[in-house]
Amino acid sequence: MVLVLDSLTTAAVLFIVSSGLFMIFGVLQIINFAHGAWLGLGAYATVVTTALGVSPWLALPLAFVVGGVLGGLTERLVVRPLYARPLDAILATWGLGIVIGQLITLAFGRDVQMIPVLMTGTVDVLGTAYSAYRLTAIAIALAIGLGFVLALERTRLGLTARAVIMNEALARALGINTARVRLATFMLGSAVAACAGVLLTPLTSVDPNMGVIWLIGCFMLVMVSGSSVRALALACIVFGTAQVAVGTYVSPILGGMTVAVLCALMLRLRPKGFAGV
Amino acid sequence: MSDRMTQSRGLLLALLLLAAVLVLAGPLFLDRFTMNVLTRSMIYAILALTVDLLWGFTGILTFGQSAFFGAGAYATAMVLTHLGGAPEHFVLAFVLAIAIPTLLAALVGWLSFHQGATPLYATVISLVVPIVMTQLIFAGGQSTGSSSGLVGYPTLALGAANHFRLAGVVLIGFGCLAWVFVRSDAGRMLVAIRDNEMRAAYLGLRVQLVRILLMTVLGGVAGFAGFLLANAARMVAPEIAGFVFGTQLVIWTALGGRGTLLGPVAGTLGIDWLGAKLSGELPFLWQLLIGAIFVVMILFLPRGLAGLVPRRRHQGTPPELVAIPTRRRADAVGPVLSVRGLGKSYGSLHVLESIDLEVHRGELVSLVGPNGAGKTTMMRCLSDGTEPISGSITVLGRDIGGLPPERIVRLGVGRKFQLASVFESLSVADCLRLARMSLDRPSLLRRSRRIGLPAPAIDILRLTGLDGMLNQRAGLLSHGQKQALELAMVVALEPELILLDEPTAGLTKAERAMIGGVLQRLSGELGHAVILIEHDLDFVRIVSQRIVVLHQGRMVMDGTVGEVVDSDLVRAIYSGAANA
């Protein structure tokens, strides 16, 4: 039972953490290697709320705003000139990630931060006591996933975003301001990533470079998912389960690389990954 | 050899001598700290060179060289820790430090480069490899020292000064080898693959194999560097195998100047040494500064610091074009090309349906039909066996189903694309050399002074004046010149069957007549089979013997010029009446 819950919650966490990167890659086809830095920023929003003595939940709106603004600046200044050079965009955003990581270090020091957890206690699930927060993560992941699907299929931004994904030249010819769609997407993706950073704080230690550890896993999951939310959800569940299984039965250290290795193999055998499943 | 070339050679030789003197005499005037730091920096510079050869020259962005480096360093440290420091153990450590990363790199190369893999995929794999390597080191417990690494094992007892010299000599040696290689005929392949992978494959070059071999060899070099570090630093830690160190190598290479050899070496030495000096005083600011400079460089100066140095026009006298005897064609019986029931569809959309066609030696067949008739799709099916089709295609009696383009080229099929496709950053001469590489084994060391081409290829160059522009960069040619160059490259392959997709689009009337003459000679006198896609019916009428008409994916006519051009059906198709 614990294994099933672990698998589900791990999948949920992976989904939450990947979603910001996924948005940006899905629409812009740009791999944002500053994603790890957004996660870090979000986590430090919790440090700020703690210092101010307010509820750690308030870190969420703070992270959303900070992430969004910085995301907007990033798109404008760094990413926009590089749409034609996608490999260089990876490098430039990675460089940006270094800068943000060091700025956080300068502001808060390089030590691990102690933060009050968002939620404590356990819940009894069919006779097993389980962390309430990890269960909440499932709900949050579902909410984000549903939000994506609804946003893409029901809103005007979603419609234009889909148009840009399918055929950007045509979208522009039809009078869609693709530059604005890109800006909005990048801002939203960064904001969601920063919020994911807040949500990560109870699960991982908070230090300036915490995001880097998550970056590769997220990146690989997004690679096998393409532009499909369902594919991302499926990938998180399958590989999250595999990670828990390897971590439990083989070695916790090897469990940490399960997602990356399986994704790489999957792309070799099936270049489209889960897209189109 | 021209004066200019001798001059630049002399300059390089002087530079080399200076470097050698600095490396050998350095320990006499450097303090201990600087010497140790520079020893490490020079070892890192070897790695930066491997990253540069992969990324700067060949276009494979890799974060994975650190993993091979780490494998070499750990192999060395583990042998010396667990077996001891007898001479035979150093030999064993040395052999393993190169063998293990080489094998690993071959495996990674095989995984990264396959038919249809995107450049991004290789980057993805290069991220996974160092992560796997670090996790394995963490999981290794006693044998790898886990997170604290290995320390206190016996090392080569050279003393710090000689470790410095050894690292310097190896760096200079590898730098020279790399310099010779990238300037050799074979080395041009790397840039060709970076510039235009598809054209390279359609010249019969085994693009994926070249990449795998390059990665394998450079994996071994990285392992060798690991051996040096494990001895010089007398400790190994998991970080050296990690992804973050891999990105650092890319940053040094980028800042110094990708695609040059001195740039990455200078970048690595400068940044690693400055970093060691400054990080004591302003640890975070230094990283911040490097990160910020890196972003700015990628945005505004993609060629790195080397971009500030103006590119030298280094080419001296142009090479000489030499006509070579054409290969005796095996007088096999039967058609060159035989197509049976060819069909191609995307979902429910049928682009080609039940096409039957035979083309014989010496025949020039024109493929005509309105836009969207499936002409270019048909060319693609004929030249790439991995396209899913129904029916069968045989070239010289051999079924091409499942064969990748480079294999089909080697069977004797040359294809010219609709949009002129050449290697933009290479010279005209290099483009022509590349066209011959699948036939004449290129040298790894020398750049040939003569380019042997079959006579018709030379004719095309003469008639278009390209023979006087051999040192010109192909990217700077006019549209018509690019078309002619590509045609000459395809003809240089001496293909049995030449596929030409609108070779005269965008050419002047005089140029068209010239190309027409060459095509007639290729088929009439030299016995090549040619399939030509062309819209200009006047041109078609002059050059071809047979015309095949495609309409909405079906072959509606196959006959002599007279039969087809004057038929009502063709008029109707071209005027649109047959769409109903």
Short mmCIF file of all heavy atoms in Angstrom, two decimals, chain A residues 31 33 77-78 82 85 88 91-92 94-96 98-99 102-103 105 110 212 216 219-220 253 257 261 264 267-268, chain B residues 55 110-111 114 120-121 124-125 127-128 131-132 135 138 247 250-251 258 284 287-288 291-292 294-295 298-299 302:
data_model
loop_
_atom_site.label_atom_id
_atom_site.label_comp_id
_atom_site.label_asym_id
_atom_site.label_seq_id
_atom_site.Cartn_x
_atom_site.Cartn_y
_atom_site.Cartn_z
N ILE A 31 14.06 24.77 -24.65
CA ILE A 31 14.33 24.12 -23.39
C ILE A 31 14.90 25.14 -22.44
O ILE A 31 15.95 25.70 -22.66
CB ILE A 31 15.30 22.95 -23.58
CG1 ILE A 31 14.61 21.89 -24.41
CG2 ILE A 31 15.73 22.39 -22.25
CD1 ILE A 31 15.57 21.00 -25.12
N PHE A 33 16.68 25.95 -19.45
CA PHE A 33 17.56 25.40 -18.43
C PHE A 33 17.63 26.29 -17.20
O PHE A 33 18.32 25.97 -16.24
CB PHE A 33 18.96 25.15 -19.00
CG PHE A 33 19.20 23.71 -19.33
CD1 PHE A 33 18.17 22.92 -19.80
CD2 PHE A 33 20.44 23.13 -19.16
CE1 PHE A 33 18.38 21.58 -20.09
CE2 PHE A 33 20.66 21.79 -19.45
CZ PHE A 33 19.63 21.02 -19.92
N LEU A 77 14.70 39.50 -22.91
CA LEU A 77 16.11 39.85 -23.05
C LEU A 77 16.99 38.69 -23.49
O LEU A 77 17.96 38.89 -24.21
CB LEU A 77 16.65 40.40 -21.71
CG LEU A 77 15.92 41.64 -21.20
CD1 LEU A 77 16.43 42.03 -19.83
CD2 LEU A 77 16.08 42.80 -22.17
N VAL A 78 16.66 37.49 -23.06
CA VAL A 78 17.58 36.37 -23.33
C VAL A 78 17.04 35.42 -24.38
O VAL A 78 17.74 35.06 -25.33
CB VAL A 78 17.87 35.59 -22.02
CG1 VAL A 78 18.78 34.41 -22.30
CG2 VAL A 78 18.50 36.51 -20.99
N LEU A 82 16.99 34.06 -29.44
CA LEU A 82 17.57 32.73 -29.65
C LEU A 82 16.58 31.69 -30.17
O LEU A 82 16.89 30.51 -30.22
CB LEU A 82 18.19 32.22 -28.33
CG LEU A 82 19.36 33.04 -27.80
CD1 LEU A 82 19.86 32.47 -26.49
CD2 LEU A 82 20.50 33.08 -28.81
N ARG A 85 18.04 29.62 -32.63
CA ARG A 85 19.22 28.86 -32.22
C ARG A 85 18.89 28.06 -30.97
O ARG A 85 19.35 28.39 -29.86
CB ARG A 85 20.39 29.80 -31.93
CG ARG A 85 20.93 30.54 -33.14
CD ARG A 85 22.23 31.27 -32.78
NE ARG A 85 22.03 32.61 -32.26
CZ ARG A 85 22.85 33.21 -31.39
NH1 ARG A 85 23.90 32.57 -30.94
NH2 ARG A 85 22.61 34.43 -30.98
N ASP A 88 21.64 27.01 -28.54
CA ASP A 88 22.21 28.14 -27.82
C ASP A 88 21.26 28.63 -26.73
O ASP A 88 21.71 29.14 -25.69
CB ASP A 88 22.52 29.30 -28.78
CG ASP A 88 23.85 29.09 -29.49
OD1 ASP A 88 24.46 28.02 -29.27
OD2 ASP A 88 24.27 29.97 -30.25
N LEU A 91 21.96 26.86 -23.62
CA LEU A 91 23.17 27.37 -22.94
C LEU A 91 22.90 28.69 -22.26
O LEU A 91 23.30 28.90 -21.11
CB LEU A 91 24.29 27.53 -23.96
CG LEU A 91 24.78 26.23 -24.58
CD1 LEU A 91 25.82 26.50 -25.64
CD2 LEU A 91 25.36 25.34 -23.49
N ALA A 92 22.23 29.60 -22.96
CA ALA A 92 21.99 30.92 -22.38
C ALA A 92 21.12 30.81 -21.12
O ALA A 92 21.39 31.47 -20.11
CB ALA A 92 21.33 31.84 -23.40
N TRP A 94 20.89 28.22 -19.21
CA TRP A 94 21.72 27.60 -18.16
C TRP A 94 22.59 28.66 -17.50
O TRP A 94 22.71 28.70 -16.28
CB TRP A 94 22.56 26.48 -18.77
CG TRP A 94 23.58 25.92 -17.82
CD1 TRP A 94 24.92 26.10 -17.85
CD2 TRP A 94 23.32 25.10 -16.66
NE1 TRP A 94 25.51 25.45 -16.80
CE2 TRP A 94 24.57 24.83 -16.06
CE3 TRP A 94 22.15 24.58 -16.08
CZ2 TRP A 94 24.68 24.05 -14.90
CZ3 TRP A 94 22.28 23.81 -14.92
CH2 TRP A 94 23.53 23.55 -14.35
N GLY A 95 23.19 29.53 -18.31
CA GLY A 95 24.00 30.62 -17.77
C GLY A 95 23.16 31.50 -16.85
O GLY A 95 23.60 31.89 -15.75
N LEU A 96 21.93 31.78 -17.28
CA LEU A 96 21.04 32.59 -16.46
C LEU A 96 20.77 31.89 -15.13
O LEU A 96 20.73 32.53 -14.07
CB LEU A 96 19.73 32.81 -17.22
CG LEU A 96 18.74 33.71 -16.53
CD1 LEU A 96 19.22 35.14 -16.58
CD2 LEU A 96 17.37 33.57 -17.16
N ILE A 98 22.78 29.94 -13.56
CA ILE A 98 23.95 30.14 -12.70
C ILE A 98 23.86 31.50 -12.01
O ILE A 98 24.05 31.64 -10.81
CB ILE A 98 25.26 30.08 -13.52
CG1 ILE A 98 25.43 28.69 -14.12
CG2 ILE A 98 26.46 30.44 -12.66
CD1 ILE A 98 26.66 28.56 -14.99
N VAL A 99 23.53 32.53 -12.82
CA VAL A 99 23.45 33.89 -12.28
C VAL A 99 22.42 33.95 -11.15
O VAL A 99 22.70 34.48 -10.07
CB VAL A 99 23.09 34.89 -13.40
CG1 VAL A 99 22.79 36.25 -12.82
CG2 VAL A 99 24.23 34.97 -14.40
N GLN A 102 23.60 32.22 -8.02
CA GLN A 102 24.60 32.98 -7.28
C GLN A 102 23.98 34.19 -6.60
O GLN A 102 24.39 34.57 -5.50
CB GLN A 102 25.74 33.44 -8.21
CG GLN A 102 26.55 32.29 -8.80
CD GLN A 102 27.11 31.38 -7.73
OE1 GLN A 102 27.60 31.83 -6.71
NE2 GLN A 102 27.01 30.08 -7.95
N LEU A 103 22.98 34.81 -7.26
CA LEU A 103 22.30 35.95 -6.62
C LEU A 103 21.59 35.49 -5.36
O LEU A 103 21.63 36.17 -4.33
CB LEU A 103 21.30 36.58 -7.60
CG LEU A 103 21.93 37.41 -8.73
CD1 LEU A 103 20.85 37.89 -9.69
CD2 LEU A 103 22.69 38.61 -8.15
N THR A 105 22.50 33.01 -3.55
CA THR A 105 23.57 32.76 -2.57
C THR A 105 24.02 34.07 -1.92
O THR A 105 24.20 34.14 -0.70
CB THR A 105 24.77 32.11 -3.27
OG1 THR A 105 24.30 31.01 -4.04
CG2 THR A 105 25.77 31.59 -2.26
N ARG A 110 24.87 30.39 1.43
CA ARG A 110 24.82 29.13 0.68
C ARG A 110 24.31 27.97 1.52
O ARG A 110 24.22 26.84 1.06
CB ARG A 110 26.20 28.82 0.12
CG ARG A 110 27.23 28.48 1.19
CD ARG A 110 28.61 28.43 0.61
NE ARG A 110 28.67 27.57 -0.57
CZ ARG A 110 29.78 27.39 -1.28
NH1 ARG A 110 30.89 28.02 -0.94
NH2 ARG A 110 29.78 26.60 -2.31
N VAL A 212 18.90 22.34 -9.56
CA VAL A 212 19.68 21.60 -10.55
C VAL A 212 19.39 20.11 -10.50
O VAL A 212 19.30 19.43 -11.52
CB VAL A 212 21.19 21.87 -10.33
CG1 VAL A 212 22.03 21.04 -11.27
CG2 VAL A 212 21.47 23.35 -10.54
N ILE A 216 17.21 17.88 -14.54
CA ILE A 216 17.40 16.84 -15.55
C ILE A 216 16.19 15.91 -15.63
O ILE A 216 15.71 15.57 -16.71
CB ILE A 216 18.68 16.03 -15.28
CG1 ILE A 216 19.87 16.97 -15.18
CG2 ILE A 216 18.91 15.00 -16.36
CD1 ILE A 216 20.12 17.77 -16.43
N PHE A 219 13.47 17.69 -17.38
CA PHE A 219 13.83 17.82 -18.78
C PHE A 219 13.54 16.52 -19.53
O PHE A 219 12.91 16.52 -20.60
CB PHE A 219 15.32 18.19 -18.83
CG PHE A 219 15.95 18.14 -20.17
CD1 PHE A 219 15.63 19.07 -21.14
CD2 PHE A 219 16.87 17.14 -20.47
CE1 PHE A 219 16.22 19.02 -22.39
CE2 PHE A 219 17.46 17.09 -21.71
CZ PHE A 219 17.14 18.03 -22.67
N MET A 220 13.95 15.41 -18.95
CA MET A 220 13.75 14.13 -19.62
C MET A 220 12.26 13.82 -19.74
O MET A 220 11.80 13.34 -20.78
CB MET A 220 14.43 13.00 -18.83
CG MET A 220 15.92 13.14 -18.69
SD MET A 220 16.78 13.30 -20.24
CE MET A 220 16.51 11.70 -20.95
N ILE A 253 19.95 5.01 -4.26
CA ILE A 253 20.78 5.88 -5.08
C ILE A 253 20.48 5.65 -6.57
O ILE A 253 20.34 6.58 -7.35
CB ILE A 253 22.27 5.63 -4.78
CG1 ILE A 253 22.56 5.99 -3.33
CG2 ILE A 253 23.14 6.46 -5.71
CD1 ILE A 253 23.97 5.70 -2.89
N MET A 257 18.32 7.82 -10.57
CA MET A 257 18.61 8.03 -11.98
C MET A 257 17.67 7.26 -12.89
O MET A 257 17.78 7.30 -14.10
CB MET A 257 20.06 7.63 -12.28
CG MET A 257 20.33 6.16 -12.09
SD MET A 257 22.09 5.83 -12.27
CE MET A 257 22.04 4.18 -12.94
N VAL A 261 17.35 7.59 -17.11
CA VAL A 261 17.79 6.48 -17.96
C VAL A 261 16.63 5.91 -18.77
O VAL A 261 16.75 5.68 -19.98
CB VAL A 261 18.43 5.37 -17.09
CG1 VAL A 261 18.71 4.14 -17.92
CG2 VAL A 261 19.71 5.89 -16.47
N ALA A 264 15.67 8.19 -21.59
CA ALA A 264 16.64 8.16 -22.69
C ALA A 264 16.44 6.91 -23.53
O ALA A 264 16.42 6.96 -24.77
CB ALA A 264 18.06 8.20 -22.12
N LEU A 267 13.35 7.20 -25.67
CA LEU A 267 13.50 8.06 -26.85
C LEU A 267 14.29 7.35 -27.94
O LEU A 267 14.11 7.61 -29.13
CB LEU A 267 14.22 9.35 -26.45
CG LEU A 267 13.36 10.36 -25.69
CD1 LEU A 267 14.21 11.49 -25.18
CD2 LEU A 267 12.25 10.90 -26.57
N ARG A 268 15.21 6.45 -27.55
CA ARG A 268 15.98 5.71 -28.54
C ARG A 268 15.06 4.75 -29.29
O ARG A 268 15.14 4.60 -30.50
CB ARG A 268 17.10 4.94 -27.86
CG ARG A 268 17.92 4.02 -28.78
CD ARG A 268 18.76 4.84 -29.75
NE ARG A 268 19.73 4.02 -30.46
CZ ARG A 268 19.50 3.41 -31.61
NH1 ARG A 268 18.31 3.51 -32.17
NH2 ARG A 268 20.44 2.69 -32.20
N TRP B 55 31.41 19.74 -30.45
CA TRP B 55 30.36 20.76 -30.52
C TRP B 55 30.71 21.85 -31.53
O TRP B 55 29.96 22.12 -32.47
CB TRP B 55 30.13 21.35 -29.13
CG TRP B 55 29.16 22.47 -29.08
CD1 TRP B 55 27.95 22.51 -29.72
CD2 TRP B 55 29.31 23.71 -28.39
NE1 TRP B 55 27.34 23.71 -29.44
CE2 TRP B 55 28.15 24.46 -28.64
CE3 TRP B 55 30.30 24.24 -27.58
CZ2 TRP B 55 27.96 25.73 -28.10
CZ3 TRP B 55 30.12 25.50 -27.03
CH2 TRP B 55 28.94 26.23 -27.30
N TRP B 110 26.67 5.06 -30.02
CA TRP B 110 25.69 4.21 -30.70
C TRP B 110 24.28 4.58 -30.28
O TRP B 110 23.35 4.62 -31.08
CB TRP B 110 25.97 2.73 -30.36
CG TRP B 110 24.89 1.82 -30.82
CD1 TRP B 110 24.72 1.34 -32.08
CD2 TRP B 110 23.82 1.29 -30.03
NE1 TRP B 110 23.59 0.55 -32.12
CE2 TRP B 110 23.03 0.51 -30.88
CE3 TRP B 110 23.45 1.42 -28.69
CZ2 TRP B 110 21.88 -0.16 -30.45
CZ3 TRP B 110 22.31 0.77 -28.26
CH2 TRP B 110 21.55 -0.01 -29.12
N LEU B 111 24.14 4.90 -28.98
CA LEU B 111 22.83 5.28 -28.45
C LEU B 111 22.39 6.64 -29.02
O LEU B 111 21.23 6.87 -29.31
CB LEU B 111 22.93 5.36 -26.93
CG LEU B 111 21.67 5.24 -26.10
CD1 LEU B 111 21.01 3.90 -26.36
CD2 LEU B 111 22.02 5.37 -24.63
N HIS B 114 21.73 7.71 -34.55
CA HIS B 114 21.11 6.69 -35.39
C HIS B 114 20.24 7.40 -36.40
O HIS B 114 19.94 8.60 -36.26
CB HIS B 114 20.29 5.72 -34.55
CG HIS B 114 19.32 6.39 -33.62
ND1 HIS B 114 18.00 6.57 -33.93
CD2 HIS B 114 19.49 6.97 -32.42
CE1 HIS B 114 17.42 7.22 -32.96
NE2 HIS B 114 18.29 7.49 -32.02
N LEU B 120 19.13 17.30 -30.85
CA LEU B 120 18.76 17.46 -29.45
C LEU B 120 18.89 16.13 -28.70
O LEU B 120 19.24 16.11 -27.52
CB LEU B 120 17.32 17.98 -29.36
CG LEU B 120 16.90 18.53 -28.02
CD1 LEU B 120 17.82 19.64 -27.58
CD2 LEU B 120 15.47 19.05 -28.08
N TYR B 121 18.62 15.03 -29.40
CA TYR B 121 18.65 13.74 -28.72
C TYR B 121 20.05 13.44 -28.18
O TYR B 121 20.19 12.95 -27.06
CB TYR B 121 18.18 12.62 -29.66
CG TYR B 121 18.19 11.29 -28.99
CD1 TYR B 121 17.31 11.01 -27.95
CD2 TYR B 121 19.11 10.31 -29.34
CE1 TYR B 121 17.34 9.81 -27.29
CE2 TYR B 121 19.15 9.10 -28.68
CZ TYR B 121 18.25 8.85 -27.66
OH TYR B 121 18.31 7.65 -27.00
N VAL B 124 20.48 15.27 -25.09
CA VAL B 124 19.73 14.63 -24.02
C VAL B 124 20.54 13.49 -23.42
O VAL B 124 20.72 13.39 -22.20
CB VAL B 124 18.38 14.10 -24.57
CG1 VAL B 124 17.71 13.22 -23.55
CG2 VAL B 124 17.48 15.25 -24.96
N ILE B 125 21.06 12.62 -24.30
CA ILE B 125 21.86 11.49 -23.82
C ILE B 125 23.08 11.99 -23.07
O ILE B 125 23.45 11.46 -22.02
CB ILE B 125 22.31 10.62 -25.01
CG1 ILE B 125 21.11 9.98 -25.69
CG2 ILE B 125 23.27 9.53 -24.55
CD1 ILE B 125 20.38 9.00 -24.85
N LEU B 127 23.38 14.43 -21.27
CA LEU B 127 23.02 14.85 -19.91
C LEU B 127 22.84 13.65 -18.99
O LEU B 127 23.15 13.70 -17.81
CB LEU B 127 21.71 15.63 -19.94
CG LEU B 127 21.77 17.06 -20.42
CD1 LEU B 127 20.37 17.59 -20.64
CD2 LEU B 127 22.49 17.90 -19.39
N VAL B 128 22.32 12.58 -19.58
CA VAL B 128 22.02 11.41 -18.75
C VAL B 128 23.31 10.70 -18.33
O VAL B 128 23.43 10.24 -17.20
CB VAL B 128 21.09 10.44 -19.52
CG1 VAL B 128 20.87 9.18 -18.73
CG2 VAL B 128 19.77 11.13 -19.82
N ILE B 131 25.05 11.84 -15.21
CA ILE B 131 24.22 11.58 -14.04
C ILE B 131 24.33 10.12 -13.62
O ILE B 131 24.52 9.79 -12.45
CB ILE B 131 22.76 11.95 -14.34
CG1 ILE B 131 22.67 13.47 -14.38
CG2 ILE B 131 21.82 11.38 -13.31
CD1 ILE B 131 21.32 13.99 -14.70
N VAL B 132 24.27 9.24 -14.61
CA VAL B 132 24.42 7.82 -14.33
C VAL B 132 25.79 7.57 -13.70
O VAL B 132 25.91 6.87 -12.69
CB VAL B 132 24.27 7.00 -15.63
CG1 VAL B 132 24.64 5.55 -15.39
CG2 VAL B 132 22.86 7.11 -16.16
N GLN B 135 25.93 8.72 -10.11
CA GLN B 135 25.15 7.86 -9.23
C GLN B 135 25.88 6.54 -8.99
O GLN B 135 25.87 6.00 -7.89
CB GLN B 135 23.77 7.58 -9.83
CG GLN B 135 22.89 8.81 -9.99
CD GLN B 135 22.46 9.40 -8.67
OE1 GLN B 135 22.56 8.76 -7.63
NE2 GLN B 135 22.02 10.64 -8.68
N PHE B 138 28.47 7.17 -6.46
CA PHE B 138 27.86 7.25 -5.12
C PHE B 138 27.49 5.87 -4.61
O PHE B 138 27.62 5.57 -3.43
CB PHE B 138 26.61 8.14 -5.15
CG PHE B 138 26.94 9.60 -5.11
CD1 PHE B 138 26.32 10.49 -5.97
CD2 PHE B 138 27.86 10.10 -4.20
CE1 PHE B 138 26.62 11.85 -5.94
CE2 PHE B 138 28.16 11.45 -4.15
CZ PHE B 138 27.54 12.32 -5.02
N THR B 247 28.87 20.96 -17.96
CA THR B 247 28.41 22.26 -18.47
C THR B 247 29.53 23.28 -18.38
O THR B 247 29.65 24.16 -19.23
CB THR B 247 27.21 22.79 -17.67
OG1 THR B 247 27.61 22.95 -16.32
CG2 THR B 247 26.03 21.86 -17.74
N VAL B 250 31.60 23.17 -21.39
CA VAL B 250 30.94 23.83 -22.51
C VAL B 250 31.08 25.35 -22.38
O VAL B 250 31.33 26.06 -23.36
CB VAL B 250 29.45 23.42 -22.58
CG1 VAL B 250 28.71 24.25 -23.60
CG2 VAL B 250 29.33 21.95 -22.90
N ILE B 251 30.96 25.86 -21.15
CA ILE B 251 31.07 27.30 -20.94
C ILE B 251 32.48 27.79 -21.32
O ILE B 251 32.63 28.78 -22.04
CB ILE B 251 30.76 27.66 -19.47
CG1 ILE B 251 29.28 27.41 -19.19
CG2 ILE B 251 31.13 29.10 -19.15
CD1 ILE B 251 28.86 27.66 -17.77
N ARG B 258 34.08 28.57 -29.79
CA ARG B 258 33.84 27.26 -30.38
C ARG B 258 34.27 27.27 -31.84
O ARG B 258 34.21 28.30 -32.50
CB ARG B 258 32.36 26.91 -30.26
CG ARG B 258 31.46 27.86 -31.00
CD ARG B 258 30.00 27.46 -30.91
NE ARG B 258 29.26 28.38 -30.03
CZ ARG B 258 27.94 28.55 -30.11
NH1 ARG B 258 27.23 27.87 -30.95
NH2 ARG B 258 27.33 29.40 -29.30
N PHE B 284 31.34 34.00 -4.68
CA PHE B 284 30.07 33.91 -5.40
C PHE B 284 30.04 34.89 -6.56
O PHE B 284 29.47 34.63 -7.60
CB PHE B 284 28.90 34.14 -4.46
CG PHE B 284 29.01 33.29 -3.24
CD1 PHE B 284 28.96 33.83 -1.98
CD2 PHE B 284 29.21 31.92 -3.38
CE1 PHE B 284 29.10 33.02 -0.86
CE2 PHE B 284 29.34 31.11 -2.27
CZ PHE B 284 29.28 31.66 -1.01
N GLN B 287 31.52 33.38 -9.82
CA GLN B 287 30.58 32.52 -10.54
C GLN B 287 29.51 33.37 -11.24
O GLN B 287 29.12 33.11 -12.37
CB GLN B 287 29.89 31.55 -9.57
CG GLN B 287 30.78 30.44 -9.10
CD GLN B 287 31.01 29.43 -10.20
OE1 GLN B 287 30.09 29.12 -10.96
NE2 GLN B 287 32.23 28.95 -10.34
N LEU B 288 29.04 34.37 -10.48
CA LEU B 288 28.01 35.26 -11.01
C LEU B 288 28.51 35.95 -12.28
O LEU B 288 27.81 36.01 -13.30
CB LEU B 288 27.69 36.31 -9.94
CG LEU B 288 26.60 37.32 -10.27
CD1 LEU B 288 25.27 36.63 -10.32
CD2 LEU B 288 26.58 38.42 -9.22
N GLY B 291 28.77 33.49 -15.19
CA GLY B 291 27.44 33.20 -15.70
C GLY B 291 26.92 34.34 -16.56
O GLY B 291 26.40 34.13 -17.66
N ALA B 292 27.07 35.58 -16.05
CA ALA B 292 26.55 36.74 -16.77
C ALA B 292 27.29 36.93 -18.10
O ALA B 292 26.67 37.14 -19.15
CB ALA B 292 26.70 37.99 -15.90
N PHE B 294 28.76 34.69 -19.81
CA PHE B 294 28.38 33.58 -20.68
C PHE B 294 27.07 33.88 -21.41
O PHE B 294 26.98 33.73 -22.63
CB PHE B 294 28.24 32.32 -19.82
CG PHE B 294 27.85 31.09 -20.59
CD1 PHE B 294 28.65 30.62 -21.61
CD2 PHE B 294 26.69 30.40 -20.27
CE1 PHE B 294 28.30 29.48 -22.32
CE2 PHE B 294 26.33 29.27 -20.97
CZ PHE B 294 27.14 28.81 -22.00
N VAL B 295 26.07 34.36 -20.65
CA VAL B 295 24.78 34.67 -21.28
C VAL B 295 24.97 35.75 -22.36
O VAL B 295 24.49 35.62 -23.49
CB VAL B 295 23.76 35.16 -20.23
CG1 VAL B 295 22.47 35.60 -20.92
CG2 VAL B 295 23.47 34.06 -19.23
N ILE B 298 26.75 34.31 -25.48
CA ILE B 298 25.90 33.45 -26.32
C ILE B 298 24.98 34.34 -27.15
O ILE B 298 24.73 34.09 -28.33
CB ILE B 298 25.06 32.50 -25.45
CG1 ILE B 298 25.95 31.46 -24.77
CG2 ILE B 298 23.99 31.80 -26.28
CD1 ILE B 298 26.47 30.39 -25.67
N LEU B 299 24.47 35.42 -26.52
CA LEU B 299 23.53 36.29 -27.22
C LEU B 299 24.22 37.11 -28.31
O LEU B 299 23.74 37.18 -29.43
CB LEU B 299 22.87 37.24 -26.22
CG LEU B 299 21.75 36.63 -25.40
CD1 LEU B 299 21.30 37.60 -24.33
CD2 LEU B 299 20.58 36.26 -26.29
N PRO B 302 28.38 34.81 -30.42
CA PRO B 302 28.31 33.35 -30.36
C PRO B 302 29.64 32.67 -30.65
O PRO B 302 29.85 31.54 -30.27
CB PRO B 302 27.27 32.98 -31.41
CG PRO B 302 26.65 34.24 -31.88
CD PRO B 302 27.49 35.38 -31.42
#
